């Protein structure tokens, strides 16, 4: 297998996904302040070397500014968040249908997002280590569906105008077949693996993650394969995730199993995620989308971080 760190000229280190929206905050609404993000990053810096950001919006810009001005020792994987360019009538929660006008406007938004990604990559070349042309936009269940050919165009544009390695972040399944043309143009492949979403229990979890990873790595033996999302929720209302499968105890087990295996195998793995985010998913308090953080939304540690911090 390809060692991610060597292939991408990165220093080995732990990685985590970061979105800093607190209670009452959300993308497109109220954003975290400079001081709130500084507080987060100083906490993250104690345990991780790399963070993944999803968007080139106000939040992402502030994160980069804080890292630069406060001289925080974090490197960034920065993504462009591309939205629907096609209808997805098969979206299970019914969110994938748009008017033709909306789709046309989205194409312009996406190009602007890609251009913003390139501009930030060139503005912060020593902080931003990796780039992504989008997130979960080609999988069958997405509500922001984009064609593979369009993603290829975005990746090609980024590679032409930025120096950092470029990828596209997606669930592992489309990489098995649908995304093979995209694999020919990215610098590395990024996969998401969530055993708990696929009804695996904690005793099956790491083996299933390995199965997902090696299915892709063996399909593309010469291309680095990075895990850009893998984690374990701590609450569920029963929709998509069995409530008895999620807890802080299970999250702690999966976190250590995942990180230890990743270190041994030389795989760059971004744990999902640093902090709980209450704006996500439905209005139900136990909606699983809200409960993936290794820290709670008030920044208090969950069990895994309590024990790590106590060492």
């Amino acid at each position: 297998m390809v060692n991610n760190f060597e292939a991408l000229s990165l220093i080995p280190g732990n990685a985590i996904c970061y979105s800093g929206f607190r209670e009452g905050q959300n993308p497109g609404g109220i954003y975290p302040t400079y001081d709130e993000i500084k507080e987060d990053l100083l906490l993250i810096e104690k345990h991780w070397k790399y963070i993944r950001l999803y968007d080139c919006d106000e939040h992402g810009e502030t994160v980069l500014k804080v890292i630069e001005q406060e001289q925080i020792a974090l490197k960034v994987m920065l993504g462009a968040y591309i939205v629907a360019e096609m209808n997805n009538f098969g979206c299970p929660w019914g969110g994938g249908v748009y008017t033709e006008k909306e789709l046309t406007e989205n194409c312009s938004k996406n190009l602007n997002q890609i251009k913003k990604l390139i501009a930030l990559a060139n503005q912060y070349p020593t902080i931003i280590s990796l780039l992504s042309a989008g997130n979960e936009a080609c999988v069958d269940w997405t509500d922001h569906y984009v064609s593979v050919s369009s993603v290829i165009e975005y990746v090609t544009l980024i590679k032409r105008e930025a120096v950092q390695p470029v990828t596209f972040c997606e669930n592992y399944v489309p990489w098995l077949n649908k995304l093979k043309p995209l694999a020919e143009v990215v610098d590395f492949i990024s996969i998401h693996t969530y055993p708990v979403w696929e009804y695996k229990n904690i005793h099956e979890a790491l083996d299933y993650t390995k199965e997902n990873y090696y299915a892709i790595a063996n399909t593309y033996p010469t291309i680095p394969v990075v895990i850009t999302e893998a984690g374990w929720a701590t609450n569920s209302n029963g929709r998509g995730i069995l409530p008895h499968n999620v807890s802080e105890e299970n999250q702690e087990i999966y976190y250590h199993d995942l990180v230890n295996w990743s270190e041994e195998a030389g795989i760059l793995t971004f744990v999902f995620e640093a902090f709980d985010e209450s704006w996500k998913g439905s209005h139900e308090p136990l909606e699983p989308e809200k409960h993936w953080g290794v820290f709670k939304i008030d920044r208090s540690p969950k069990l895994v971080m309590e024990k790590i911090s106590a060492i």
Side-chain angles (χ1 to χ4, degrees):
M1 295 298 115
V2 178
N3 182 298
N4 293 172
F5 296 100
E6 293 177 0
L8 298 172
S9 300
L10 300 175
I11 297 171
N14 291 338
I16 197 158
C17 299
Y18 170 60
S19 182
F21 294 96
R22 303 182 180 214
E23 199 68 60
Q25 301 175 343
N26 61 279
I30 299 174
Y31 284 84
T33 66
Y34 183 101
D35 286 338
E36 287 172 335
I37 288 175
K38 177 182 174 181
E39 179 187 4
D40 287 350
L41 297 184
L42 289 174
L43 181 58
I44 290 171
E45 181 188 27
K46 297 176 183 177
H47 306 286
W48 296 279
K49 183 176 184 62
Y50 297 96
I51 59 172
R52 178 185 169 211
L53 303 178
Y54 288 77
D55 206 330
C56 300
D57 60 2
E58 179 181 325
H59 174 265
E61 289 188 86
T62 305
V63 170
L64 293 167
K65 187 182 298 183
V66 170
I67 291 173
E68 181 182 60
Q69 294 184 1
E70 306 296 332
Q71 298 184 345
I72 295 173
L74 288 170
K75 300 297 183 183
V76 173
M77 177 178 183
L78 183 63
Y81 193 84
I82 55 176
V83 291
E85 296 182 1
M86 303 165 59
N87 283 320
N88 182 14
F89 299 103
C91 179
W93 52 88
V97 181
Y98 306 84
T99 66
E100 287 303 314
K101 180 182 178 183
E102 288 173 325
L103 293 175
T104 300
E105 291 174 348
N106 283 351
C107 290
S108 297
K109 290 178 182 178
N110 287 345
L111 183 57
N112 288 336
Q113 181 80 182
I114 295 298
K115 289 180 178 178
K116 184 70 172 294
L117 176 73
I118 293 167
L120 290 173
N122 291 327
Q123 182 179 352
Y124 297 97
T126 61
I127 295 173
I128 299 173
S129 299
L130 304 169
L131 301 172
S132 174
N135 182 69
E136 293 183 348
C138 292
V139 71
D140 290 345
W141 41 256
T142 188
D143 63 358
H144 51 285
Y145 206 41
V146 178
S147 70
V148 177
S149 60
S150 186
V151 176
I152 289 173
E153 290 180 9
Y154 293 143
V155 169
T156 303
L157 176 59
I158 297 166
K159 289 181 67 174
R160 188 166 66 238
E161 299 189 19
V163 299
Q164 294 91 337
V166 183
T167 190
F168 172 71
C169 298
E170 187 55 276
N171 178 270
Y172 71 94
V173 174
W175 287 108
L176 292 170
N177 194 347
K178 183 178 182 180
L179 297 185
K180 283 186 175 180
L182 179 59
E184 296 179 5
V185 298
V186 294
D187 295 309
F188 64 103
I189 290 169
S190 294
I191 68 167
H192 299 171
T193 169
Y194 286 106
V196 72
W197 272 123
E198 299 192 52
Y199 301 99
K200 304 300 179 183
N201 63 46
I202 192 62
H203 307 293
E204 304 168 298
L206 185 63
D207 284 344
Y208 195 68
T209 296
K210 290 180 179 181
E211 181 182 321
N212 294 167
Y213 179 84
Y214 289 116
I216 307 305
N218 290 333
T219 301
Y220 307 100
T222 63
I223 306 175
V225 179
V226 169
I227 298 175
T228 42
E229 287 185 25
W232 204 270
T234 53
N235 270 311
S236 176
N237 57 5
R239 295 182 181 176
I241 292 179
L242 300 173
H244 68 263
N245 263 346
V246 292
S247 65
E248 292 190 23
E249 289 77 13
N250 283 353
Q251 183 188 61
E252 181 195 14
I253 292 168
Y254 184 67
Y255 179 92
H256 288 301
D257 286 351
L258 177 69
V259 170
N260 291 340
W261 166 65
S262 298
E263 289 179 352
E264 291 168 4
I267 299 168
L268 174 58
T269 296
F270 288 83
V271 174
F272 189 84
E273 64 178 326
F275 303 102
D276 283 348
E277 297 185 81
S278 63
W279 68 271
K280 288 187 168 183
S282 70
H283 295 297
E284 295 186 28
L286 294 183
E287 161 72 51
E289 291 286 0
K290 303 177 187 295
H291 297 282
W292 292 87
V294 294
F295 291 92
K296 298 174 185 176
I297 196 165
D298 64 1
R299 276 45 188 170
S300 62
K302 294 185 183 177
L303 182 62
V304 60
M305 295 314 301
E306 280 184 359
K307 292 189 175 180
I308 289 175
S309 299
I311 296 174

